[in-house]
């Protein structure tokens, strides 16, 4: 069974940056497309970014485009999500997810437990 474990969340001041990591185990990470999502209290889950297994395709949604980077290290079974110029409205639980093929629709197959990011002064 595929398992995903996020880390890197915490408290960040407005204008700061963060780097989230997601380690995948129990499957062939190098064949999986990966995505990052977030969910703020009282809001629907929001798709942020996606990356194909070979890193040759990436996609960013409007809320993070231009201030975020999704990347992966296949030998380390890890996908990263970096975001700069953080705002209080970026406060949410951030999730990584895996899919059998690259897609920019939110119907990913496997999900991590999430890591809380709080942007506050």
């Amino acid at each position: 069974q595929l398992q995903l474990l996020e880390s890197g969340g915490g408290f960040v001041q407005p204008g700061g940056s963060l780097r989230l990591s997601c380690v995948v185990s129990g499957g062939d990470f190098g064949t999986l497309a990966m995505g990052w999502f977030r969910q703020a209290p009282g809001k629907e889950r929001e798709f942020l970014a996606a990356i194909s297994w070979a890193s040759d395709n990436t996609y960013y949604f409007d809320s993070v485009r231009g201030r975020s980077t999704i990347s992966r290290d296949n030998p380390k079974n890890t996908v990263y999500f970096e975001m700069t110029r953080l705002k209080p409205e970026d406060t949410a639980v951030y999730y990584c997810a895996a899919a059998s093929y690259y897609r920019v629709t939110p119907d990913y197959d496997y999900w991590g437990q999430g890591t809380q990011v709080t942007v506050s002064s």
Side-chain angles (χ1 to χ4, degrees):
Q1 180 73 11
L2 202 67
Q3 294 186 325
L4 293 74
L5 182 64
E6 303 95 337
S7 62
F11 285 90
V12 185
Q13 289 192 336
S17 61
L18 61 77
R19 187 193 198 206
L20 304 178
S21 301
C22 173
V23 178
V24 178
S25 60
D28 190 352
F29 179 74
T31 67
L32 297 170
M34 300 297 298
W36 282 94
F37 297 74
R38 69 185 179 189
Q39 188 165 20
K43 295 188 176 181
E44 294 187 354
R45 187 167 58 199
E46 180 184 13
F47 196 172
L48 302 177
I51 187 167
S52 60
W53 70 269
S55 302
D56 53 345
N57 284 292
T58 58
Y59 189 85
Y60 299 91
F61 286 79
D62 288 348
S63 61
V64 298
R65 184 176 295 133
R67 62 187 185 102
S68 66
T69 303
I70 187 171
S71 62
R72 64 191 295 161
D73 186 336
N74 285 354
K76 293 185 178 180
N77 288 2
T78 303
V79 61
Y80 304 98
F81 185 69
E82 298 179 79
M83 197 158 57
T84 62
R85 306 197 303 273
L86 286 163
K87 313 169 189 177
E89 50 264 44
D90 293 316
T91 295
V93 178
Y94 285 70
Y95 300 90
C96 68
S100 57
Y101 60 92
Y102 178 70
R103 66 188 79 166
V104 295
T105 55
D107 53 331
Y108 276 54
D109 304 307
Y110 301 94
W111 295 83
Q113 293 298 306
T115 185
Q116 175 71 46
V117 173
T118 302
V119 183
S120 174
S121 55

